[in-house]
Amino acid sequence: MGIENLMTFIVTALFFIITPGIDTVFVLNKSIGQGRKSGIYATFGINTGVLAHTFFAALGLSVLIAKSTFVVALIKFLGAGYLIYLGFLKLKNKEEFFPADIKKLNKNSKNDFWTGFFTNALNPKVALFFLAFFPQFINVNQMDNPIPFLLLGITYALIGIVWFLILTLFASVFSQKLKSNSKSGRWLSKLSGLVFIVMGIKIALTKI
């Protein structure tokens, strides 16, 4: 299939995935604040973003984008702006971090899929990482073949799904303890908003 050293790829990919970053913070935020269901939707949204990056890399579009300083900068600032926007929404929102309305919670859970998707898809560092990482595990003669890129991307996404689902499970259990403290919800809401803003600023200031 044009793939070399698959086990090495799996181990290395797992290492990158479990390293705390924007995706980890996002899943933890949703899992602790809105429960297991939101964490699951966020997990699948993030990894759908991974598959989108994979698709673009397989078609060679990521290479074209990476060569355009303007496009990379545009995507970077869009992603940074989106995270900062989410952060300000959290700071402005006066509702509890742990919603009591089940109907509203279910609606928010479905929105978390798209929020997770855009959080990942608008991060140019993910696209550039894939362009640098994947070719190391593809046979030189198969570089023009999109299949190895797709298979590695799907493998990466599956590892991510498993890891973030485990994280969601533990975080949602932890949230049950926090719900017993009436003040914790307000503080966590403000804290999560600040975290998103800081991460957005960090992306905006990062040289790519």
Side-chain angles (χ1 to χ4, degrees), residues 164-190:
F164 287 124
L165 286 180
I166 293 173
L167 206 60
T168 295
L169 177 63
F170 283 100
S172 60
V173 171
F174 177 67
S175 71
Q176 298 299 321
K177 296 180 180 180
L178 290 175
K179 287 180 181 179
S180 60
N181 187 336
S182 59
K183 294 183 179 180
S184 64
R186 298 188 188 93
W187 284 107
L188 282 173
S189 184
K190 304 301 181 185

Side-chain angles (χ1 to χ4, degrees), residues 91-142:
L91 291 177
K92 185 179 179 181
N93 193 355
K94 295 181 180 181
E95 295 180 0
E96 286 292 330
F97 191 70
F98 305 108
D101 190 335
I102 299 299
K103 290 184 179 179
K104 189 169 185 178
L105 182 60
N106 290 334
K107 183 180 179 181
N108 288 340
S109 295
K110 294 177 182 178
N111 291 336
D112 291 335
F113 172 88
W114 292 109
T115 307
F117 171 78
F118 286 119
T119 298
N120 186 278
L122 291 177
N123 188 349
K125 292 177 67 177
V126 178
L128 296 177
F129 168 72
F130 282 6
L131 287 176
F133 182 51
F134 283 13
Q136 299 180 50
F137 302 92
I138 298 176
N139 187 288
V140 178
N141 299 321
Q142 297 291 327

Side-chain angles (χ1 to χ4, degrees), residues 5-207:
N5 302 315
L6 180 59
M7 287 306 301
T8 303
F9 171 83
I10 292 174
V11 173
T12 309
L14 177 61
F15 173 77
F16 283 120
I17 289 169
I18 66 177
T19 301
I22 294 173
D23 294 341
T24 301
V25 171
F26 185 79
V27 171
L28 285 175
N29 180 283
K30 295 301 178 181
S31 301
I32 295 174
Q34 296 173 237
R36 188 179 305 171
K37 193 171 183 179
S38 285
I40 292 172
Y41 272 100
T43 293
F44 282 101
I46 286 170
N47 286 284
T48 301
V50 168
L51 293 177
H53 283 296
T54 301
F55 180 73
F56 286 129
L59 293 180
L61 295 178
S62 291
V63 177
L64 296 177
I65 292 173
K67 290 181 179 179
S68 173
T69 306
F70 172 76
V71 175
V72 171
L74 178 62
I75 295 173
K76 181 182 76 169
F77 287 116
L78 282 174
Y82 185 63
L83 284 174
I84 293 172
Y85 168 73
L86 291 177
F88 276 114
L89 283 183
K90 284 284 186 182
L91 291 177
K92 185 179 179 181
N93 193 355
K94 295 181 180 181
E95 295 180 0
E96 286 292 330
F97 191 70
F98 305 108
D101 190 335
I102 299 299
K103 290 184 179 179
K104 189 169 185 178
L105 182 60
N106 290 334
K107 183 180 179 181
N108 288 340
S109 295
K110 294 177 182 178
N111 291 336
D112 291 335
F113 172 88
W114 292 109
T115 307
F117 171 78
F118 286 119
T119 298
N120 186 278
L122 291 177
N123 188 349
K125 292 177 67 177
V126 178
L128 296 177
F129 168 72
F130 282 6
L131 287 176
F133 182 51
F134 283 13
Q136 299 180 50
F137 302 92
I138 298 176
N139 187 288
V140 178
N141 299 321
Q142 297 291 327
M143 285 297 178
D144 295 329
N145 185 356
I147 301 300
F149 278 94
L150 290 173
L151 291 176
L152 289 177
I154 291 171
T155 302
Y156 191 96
L158 290 174
I159 297 170
I161 288 172
V162 171
W163 168 249
F164 287 124
L165 286 180
I166 293 173
L167 206 60
T168 295
L169 177 63
F170 283 100
S172 60
V173 171
F174 177 67
S175 71
Q176 298 299 321
K177 296 180 180 180
L178 290 175
K179 287 180 181 179
S180 60
N181 187 336
S182 59
K183 294 183 179 180
S184 64
R186 298 188 188 93
W187 284 107
L188 282 173
S189 184
K190 304 301 181 185
L191 179 61
S192 64
L194 288 173
V195 168
F196 278 120
I197 291 173
V198 169
M199 298 195 83
I201 293 173
K202 183 180 178 182
I203 288 178
L205 298 178
T206 299
K207 293 182 179 180

